[in-house]
């Protein structure tokens, strides 16, 4: 008897694959096991063109004695179907009971093409689909690829996408596969709502998450595109935010998304159960390790009694303690935090338990996904290596460091068992991203005017973790270029070496009569003392010169009959004598004249400054770009006199403290001050502090402090050797505007002072002298050559406190950060210059 069984995919193939009984065709019958009891080698194969006979036979596994029974034939049939190599498989019985396997092979794909795709390139789609050119065609695989392409578009925010596969048959059992894509419009997030939040407003929580609502400027960003993975990640961001602020029982129950066909976008709702806010009631340290004093870990705790319970502070404390225990020789010590809640007092008693952990060693560290970045660049971020004790805190620190490099889209470190029970293998999975930037920037400020910059930078040069940047700046009043290079691991130590070469030209404008040209070089070393504390050591050497229009410095000319000094005695002593009656008796002052220190600096020519300095920075800001909480303090000192032409000690301190107040209002206290100390020769005017709106808003650039009072000159700002400033600012959102607009308002009050000019006041070369202590020196309002008039520098150096109040508009725009300020001075020096409106900002595109 001859039996036939034919399968063509579809439902029948599915039933066979899952072991469902298959009905025989009409007129056919199953052959008994004994009748089919043949060997694998006796199987005859028909219809195969590319797949070898032995390959097909290998799917049939014989039973005891090398014979095929009914079960082995069924299993072989299923296995052949599952390969995807065939579009039709039949098992028949030929003459003499021989088993005959008839197959129809799937075609070979000649080429794969994509049509209609504009937003996603062919290369990306080719890498995502399973069907490959010169591979086997499978309808099931094509269907899977169609769904995959649609999913890629949905994750880029295009939920109206339509993907249609088309198969074009070619000779020799080959086909071309065409995917036609109708991309559709971008599907954004139309609204984000929060339910159950009372401690924090919805406006504040929108600042925590990465997903934003669509607005008029959404085409410049992608954060408004609906992405289910990002929404899920936002749930964790909200939870972490609450845990940082004392809500130990918080739960983000759900993130509900609903497509609104009318708005053609998604509505996202986060359901939150806040719970109570807790403070730290007590802190205890316990240890089960012999001879280990747990109280010695108190200095490494970042948790304080009475403060809000902060899970991040607890985690950082655990990490610091575990690392310190490892340094002391307790390589397997594990710090486990615990907390007992007092529901009535709303406090948490934190306990750090230090125990002996499992004695596990790192067998290998396997790196995966770094196609460009060198292995050693990644491995140097680890404080552990193969053979060391496994320390989870150090592994977590390495993962955080790798993420902070900004070389990778994602970094994940997991473990798998090693070759024995006390060995683990670290798996470091990474996905690299582009690290090069080309930017064209433009901006405008009331100080520097219009400004443009072109820059090229690379954060991971040659895959070696090096940073390099070249930029060129060109503007109305400022021009120059700079070259920067950073080696983050000097000689394999965690010390960053930076090299900067720069050239700057500042042109004269309405605030200063002179220009400056500076060419400099500065190597620097950076040390990370802690996560919140860093130190920078630097050496700076630069050459600087002043430029002036000739008519503002013609009083320096002692050649011929051109007047340079209004003193009649000096004029009469010259041969020939200088005629002071020319140009209405004003001599060289008739067309204006720069201040004495400026002209003296011009005559001195190029000046070389060689200085050593350092900066100590303390930073606990919650967000460096848009801070709402934390402290930022910089302390800088520079000593000039290591060679060069000038010597001084310049000390500067700057501190900013941010704190959230009520209803999303953030308070900012800004304190600053500086002292310039003479160390040898006279100080140059250019080395003095120059202050204006950078100290007290409402004043012009260089508008504060000592100033030349010569009514016939340019009355330049001279600067001072001491300054101080204090500012209090309230930043608040515009609650009636969507959060995504990025607008904030500010009100502020500033106060400060700049005084104690110690630069040149006389110039013997030109005969410009001043009576001792400036006694009797007044600004002449008539002829500066009048006998008895003081000819040296006459200036105002009153120690008046400058103050102002004002309002500001802060815009985190897609075009870059912009700020508008309007301030009104309340108190000022007699000769200060004001500028009530100030604007600054720029962008990269």
């Amino acid at each position: 008897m001859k039996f036939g069984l034919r399968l063509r995919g579809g439902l029948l193939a599915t039933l066979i694959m899952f072991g469902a009984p298959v009905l025989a065709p009409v007129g056919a019958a199953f052959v008994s096991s004994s009748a089919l009891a043949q060997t694998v080698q006796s199987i005859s194969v028909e219809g195969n063109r590319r797949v070898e006979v032995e390959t097909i036979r290998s799917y049939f596994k014989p039973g005891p004695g090398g014979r095929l029974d009914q079960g082995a034939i069924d299993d072989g049939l299923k296995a052949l179907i599952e390969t995807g190599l065939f579009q039709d498989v039949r098992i028949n019985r030929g003459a003499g009971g021989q088993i005959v396997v008839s197959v129809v092979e799937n075609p070979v794909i000649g080429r794969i093409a994509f049509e209609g795709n504009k937003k996603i390139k062919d290369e990306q789609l080719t890498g995502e689909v399973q069907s490959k050119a010169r591979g086997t065609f499978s309808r099931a695989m094509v269907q899977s690829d169609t769904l995959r392409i649609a999913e890629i578009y949905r994750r880029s925010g295009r939920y109206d996408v339509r993907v249609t596969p088309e198969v074009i048959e070619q000779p020799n059992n080959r086909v071309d596969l065409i995917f036609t894509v109708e991309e559709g419009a971008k599907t954004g997030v139309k609204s984000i709502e929060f339910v159950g939040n009372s401690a924090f407003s919805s406006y504040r929580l929108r600042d925590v998450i990465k997903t934003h609502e669509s607005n008029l400027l959404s085409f410049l960003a992608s954060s408004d595109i609906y992405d289910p993975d990002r929404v899920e990640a936002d749930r964790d961001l909200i939870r972490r935010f609450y845990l940082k602020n004392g809500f130990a029982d918080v739960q983000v129950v759900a993130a509900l998304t609903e497509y609104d066909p009318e708005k053609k976008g998604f509505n996202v709702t986060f359901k939150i159960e806040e719970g109570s806010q807790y403070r730290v009631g007590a802190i205890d340290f316990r240890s089960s390790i012999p001879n280990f004093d747990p109280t010695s870990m108190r200095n490494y705790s970042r948790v304080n009694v009475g403060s809000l319970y902060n899970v991040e502070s607890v985690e950082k404390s655990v990490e610091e303690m575990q690392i310190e225990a490892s340094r002391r020789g307790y390589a397997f010590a594990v710090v486990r935090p615990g907390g007992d809640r007092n529901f009535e007092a709303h406090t948490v008693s934190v306990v750090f338990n230090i125990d002996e952990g499992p004695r596990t060693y790192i067998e290998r560290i396997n790196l995966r996904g770094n196609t460009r970045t060198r292995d050693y660049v990644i491995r140097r971020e680890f404080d552990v290596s193969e053979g060391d004790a496994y320390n989870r805190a150090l592994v977590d620190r390495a993962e955080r460091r790798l993420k902070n490099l900004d070389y990778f889209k994602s970094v994940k470190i997991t473990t798998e068992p090693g070759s024995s029970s006390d060995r683990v293998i670290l798996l470091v999975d990474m996905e690299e991203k582009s690290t090069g930037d080309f930017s064209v920037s433009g901006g405008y400020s009331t100080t520097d005017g219009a400004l443009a910059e072109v820059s090229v930078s690379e954060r991971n040069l040659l895959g070696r973790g090096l940073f390099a940047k070249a930029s060129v700046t060109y503007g109305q009043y400022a021009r120059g270029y700079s070259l920067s290079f950073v080696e983050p691991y000097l000689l394999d130590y965690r010390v960053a070496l930076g090299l900067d070469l720069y050239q700057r030209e500042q042109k004269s404008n309405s605030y200063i009569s002179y220009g400056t040209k500076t060419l400099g070089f500065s190597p620097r070393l950076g040390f990370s003392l802690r996560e919140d504390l860093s130190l920078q050591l630097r050496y700076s050497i630069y050459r600087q010169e002043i430029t002036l229009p000739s008519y503002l410095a013609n009083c320096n000319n002692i050649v011929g009959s051109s007047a340079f000094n209004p003193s009649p005695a000096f004029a009469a002593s010259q041969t020939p004598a200088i005629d002071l009656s020319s140009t209405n008796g004003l001599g060289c002052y008739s067309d204006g004249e720069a201040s004495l220190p400026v002209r003296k600096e011009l005559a001195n020519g190029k000046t070389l400054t060689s200085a050593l300095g350092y900066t100590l920075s303390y930073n606990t800001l919650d967000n460096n770009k848009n801070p709402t909480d934390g402290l930022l303090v910089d302390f800088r000192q520079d000593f000039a006199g290591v060679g060069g032409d000038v010597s001084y000690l310049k000390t500067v301190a700057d501190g900013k403290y941010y704190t959230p107040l009520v209803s999303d209002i953030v308070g900012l206290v800004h304190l600053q001050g500086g002292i310039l100390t003479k160390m040898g020769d006279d100080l140059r005017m250019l080395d003095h502090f120059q202050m204006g709106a950078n100290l007290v808003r409402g004043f012009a650039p260089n508008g504060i402090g000592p100033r030349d009072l010569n009514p016939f000159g340019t009355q330049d700002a001279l600067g001072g050797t001491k300054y101080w400033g204090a500012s209090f600012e309230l930043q608040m959102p515009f609650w009636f505007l969507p959060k995504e607009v990025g607008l904030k308002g500010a009100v502020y009050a500033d106060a400060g002072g700049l005084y104690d000019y110690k630069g040149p006041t006389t110039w013997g070369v030109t005969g410009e002298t001043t009576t001792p202590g400036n006694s009797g020196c007044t600004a002449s309002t008539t002829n500066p050559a009048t006998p008895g008039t003081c000819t040296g520098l006459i200036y105002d150096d009153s120690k008046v406190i400058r103050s102002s109040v004002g309002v500001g508009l802060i815009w985190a725009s897609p075009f870059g950060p912009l700020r508008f300020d309007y301030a009104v001075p309340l108190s000022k020096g007699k000769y200060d210059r004001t500028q009530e409106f100030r604007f600054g900002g720029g962008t990269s595109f």
Side-chain angles (χ1 to χ4, degrees), residues 358-361 363 417-424:
R359 304 182 73 83
T360 307
Y361 298 88
E363 182 174 333
S419 58
S420 61
S421 59
D422 63 345
R423 298 287 189 270
V424 295

Side-chain angles (χ1 to χ4, degrees), residues 96-375:
Q98 183 184 23
I99 298 174
V100 179
V101 180
S102 299
V103 297
V104 177
E105 294 179 347
N106 275 322
V108 174
I109 300 175
R111 69 182 183 95
I112 298 177
F114 304 92
E115 296 181 355
N117 55 310
K118 298 178 180 178
K119 303 300 180 181
I120 301 179
K121 296 181 179 179
D122 288 0
E123 292 78 7
Q124 182 178 349
L125 294 178
T126 301
E128 294 289 346
V129 298
Q130 292 179 304
S131 300
K132 303 296 181 183
R134 295 183 298 277
T136 302
F137 172 81
S138 169
R139 295 190 180 276
M141 189 180 296
V142 170
Q143 184 62 29
S144 175
D145 290 339
T146 302
L147 297 176
R148 176 60 182 157
I149 295 172
E151 180 64 18
I152 293 171
Y153 270 93
R154 291 191 180 100
R155 291 193 179 278
S156 66
R158 299 181 182 274
Y159 273 75
D160 291 334
V161 64
R162 298 289 184 270
V163 182
T164 305
E166 181 181 0
V167 179
I168 302 175
E169 294 185 359
Q170 301 292 348
N172 299 321
N173 199 28
R174 303 176 71 87
V175 296
D176 290 342
L177 180 57
I178 312 295
F179 291 98
T180 302
V181 182
E182 297 177 21
E183 295 180 323
K186 192 167 66 173
T187 310
V189 176
K190 298 302 181 181
S191 70
I192 301 175
E193 303 295 336
F194 300 87
V195 177
N197 57 308
S198 59
F200 300 100
S201 68
S202 297
Y203 192 96
R204 179 68 183 92
L205 293 179
R206 288 191 183 96
D207 201 33
V208 174
I209 61 178
K210 300 295 184 183
T211 303
H212 296 150
E213 293 180 356
S214 300
N215 56 72
L216 294 176
L217 299 176
S218 292
F219 67 94
L220 296 172
S222 60
S223 57
D224 69 309
I225 297 172
Y226 175 70
D227 184 342
D229 290 341
R230 183 162 53 199
V231 171
E232 190 62 29
D234 287 338
R235 288 182 63 184
D236 187 60
L237 290 175
I238 296 170
R239 176 178 169 273
R240 298 284 298 181
F241 175 74
Y242 271 93
L243 290 174
K244 282 175 53 179
N245 289 277
F247 293 87
D249 300 323
V250 66
Q251 292 186 23
V252 183
V253 180
L256 306 176
T257 58
E258 181 182 7
Y259 182 77
D260 188 335
E262 294 184 0
K263 297 181 179 180
K264 294 185 178 180
F266 284 88
N267 300 323
V268 180
T269 303
F270 294 96
K271 298 182 68 175
I272 304 170
E273 293 180 3
E274 292 182 331
S276 300
Q277 191 177 42
Y278 293 86
R279 292 187 175 272
V280 178
I283 305 173
D284 193 15
F285 302 85
R286 301 171 186 172
S287 174
S288 62
I289 302 176
N291 302 322
F292 187 93
D293 180 14
T295 59
S296 63
M297 294 288 103
R298 189 176 297 275
N299 292 334
Y300 299 94
S301 171
R302 301 193 181 188
V303 182
N304 300 311
V305 175
S307 63
L308 284 176
Y309 176 76
N310 186 334
V311 71
E312 287 193 359
S313 297
V314 174
E315 291 172 350
K316 289 179 180 178
S317 300
V318 168
E319 181 178 295
E320 294 292 335
M321 293 177 192
Q322 195 159 320
I323 292 173
E324 178 60 23
S326 178
R327 288 173 181 162
R328 296 182 184 182
Y330 300 91
F332 300 101
V334 177
V335 182
R336 296 184 176 92
D340 296 326
R341 294 176 177 81
N342 185 325
F343 296 102
E344 295 180 356
H346 298 299
T347 60
V348 177
S349 297
V350 180
V351 179
F352 294 100
N353 298 293
I354 306 165
D355 304 311
E356 186 78 22
R359 304 182 73 83
T360 307
Y361 298 88
I362 299 173
E363 182 174 333
R364 291 196 313 275
I365 300 177
N366 292 340
L367 309 180
R368 302 188 301 200
N370 57 315
T371 56
R372 181 167 177 267
T373 306
R374 308 293 179 92
D375 282 4

